[in-house]
């Protein structure tokens, strides 16, 4: 892929700058806690909404084939349902996809 | 007495390092996958390492990197990063109540760089007030682990057979599933939030017209809409310490 170095550097700077400001401003400026129930609730739900929207349907295209991806997704869902750790779920899903590919799926 | 002062600084630093060690080890393996995916998607290794060192996030830099690969605009990258990382705003706000009174402005600005979900979780669970020395120690090893893991993952990619790199393509998505599913099991509102987001995401990808939308804006629109709906429908009352931990995603 052709990647323009200055554009890539600027992209890193944008990500880093925005992330830093989000973390820095409250710690430096705010001394009192947010009481607005809606905003508190909104921010609490954000991680779940964002991660879910990012995962599906993209996960189905994340390996060489949709079938192996579907099998890996199922494995991840089952292990996560039984509260396995992030690392266990991530590695096991990969292992299942690998095995599925060896079987020619 | 200056002697005791220095001793307590050293003690806090040591405790911070000790508490940060397991976080750093965990990050080492997770960022390995990030480094690998970034290099596999065609970006140079230095991009992955620099991003990890300066961002210290997972979902945020992952989405940003994907936008760079897809040729997204800077506005898309900025807004996506803002939306995904907005929760850090609350964490920093919560920590601002807990840091030592004598922490200077400069120290606050330095410490804020390291507010991740795990560091926030450990810091808020600490009984004592948070000094700059403790926070510095707590943040140091996670930064090293996150950056080093990225480097190792990216460097290992060229040695990898195709089947293995295909298999690792699913790793970070597996992590996201591991974050969402256990909480969705415990809480109906979180389950509804997640299912709604998945439903809209699949819908947006397949509807003619809307499917033209870049993945960055798709994620932003869905996140804002679904989170606002959930906040309106299922407001979270007094957020207890446990609930805060469970919403600490990455």
């Amino acid at each position: 892929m052709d990647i323009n170095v200055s554009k890539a550097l600027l992209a890193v700077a944008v990500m880093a700058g925005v992330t830093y400001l989000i973390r820095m401003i409250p710690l430096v400026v705010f001394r009192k806690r947010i009481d607005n129930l809606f905003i508190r609730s909104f921010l609490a739900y954000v991680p779940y909404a964002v991660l879910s929207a990012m995962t599906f349907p993209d996960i189905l295209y994340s390996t060489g084939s949709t079938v192996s991806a579907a099998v890996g997704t199922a494995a991840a869902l089952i292990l996560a349902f039984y509260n396995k750790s992030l690392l266990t779920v991530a590695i096991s899903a990969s292992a299942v996809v690998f095995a599925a590919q060896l079987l020619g799926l | 007495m200056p002697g005791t002062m220095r001793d307590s600084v050293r003690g806090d630093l040591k405790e911070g390092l000790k508490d940060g060690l397991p976080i750093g080890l965990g990050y080492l393996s997770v960022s390995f996958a990030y480094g690998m995916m970034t290099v596999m998607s065609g970006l140079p290794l230095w991009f992955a390492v620099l991003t990890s060192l300066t961002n210290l996030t997972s979902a945020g830099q992952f989405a940003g990197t994907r936008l760079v690969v897809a040729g997204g605009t800077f506005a898309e990258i900025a807004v996506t990063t803002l939306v995904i990382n907005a929760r850090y705003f609350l964490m920093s706000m919560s920590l601002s109540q807990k840091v030592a009174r004598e922490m200077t402005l400069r120290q606050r600005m330095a410490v804020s760089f390291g507010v991740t979900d795990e560091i926030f979780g450990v810091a808020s669970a600490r009984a004592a007030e948070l000094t700059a020395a403790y926070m510095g120690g707590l943040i140091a090893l996670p930064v090293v682990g996150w950056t080093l893991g990225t480097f190792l993952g990216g460097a290992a990619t060229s040695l990898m057979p195709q089947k293995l790199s295909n298999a690792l393509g699913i790793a970070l998505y597996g992590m996201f599933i591991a974050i969402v599913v256990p909480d969705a099991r415990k809480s109906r509102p979180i389950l509804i939030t997640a299912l709604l987001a998945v439903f809209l995401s699949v819908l947006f990808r397949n509807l003619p017209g809307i499917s033209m939308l870049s993945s960055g804006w798709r994620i932003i629109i869905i996140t804002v809409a679904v989170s606002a709906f959930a906040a309106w429908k299922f407001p979270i009352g007094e957020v207890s310490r446990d609930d805060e931990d469970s919403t600490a995603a990455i």
Side-chain angles (χ1 to χ4, degrees), chain B residues 196-240:
Chain B
L196 209 54
V198 168
F199 172 74
L200 288 177
S201 184
V202 173
L203 193 69
F204 274 37
R205 273 286 278 261
N206 294 297
L207 274 188
I210 299 181
S211 61
M212 306 275 285
L213 211 63
S214 77
S215 73
W217 291 113
R218 172 171 60 101
I219 288 167
I220 292 164
I221 292 168
I222 292 172
T223 300
V224 171
V226 172
S227 304
F229 172 78
W232 167 64
K233 204 81 183 154
F234 317 106
I236 298 170
E238 261 317 289
V239 179
S240 73

Side-chain angles (χ1 to χ4, degrees), chain A residues 20 23 27 31 48 56 81, chain B residues 92 109 183 185 201 246:
Chain A
Y20 179 66
R23 289 166 163 162
L27 206 53
R31 304 286 158 97
Y48 303 107
F56 291 95
F81 186 80
Chain B
S92 281
M109 290 176 75
D183 288 349
R185 228 186 123 177
S201 184
S246 73

Side-chain angles (χ1 to χ4, degrees), chain A residues 59 71-81 89-90 92-93, chain B residues 170 173-174 177-178 181:
Chain A
I59 190 171
V71 177
T73 304
L77 286 169
I78 291 166
L79 289 169
F81 186 80
V89 174
S92 307
Chain B
I170 205 171
Y173 292 112
I177 287 179
V181 169

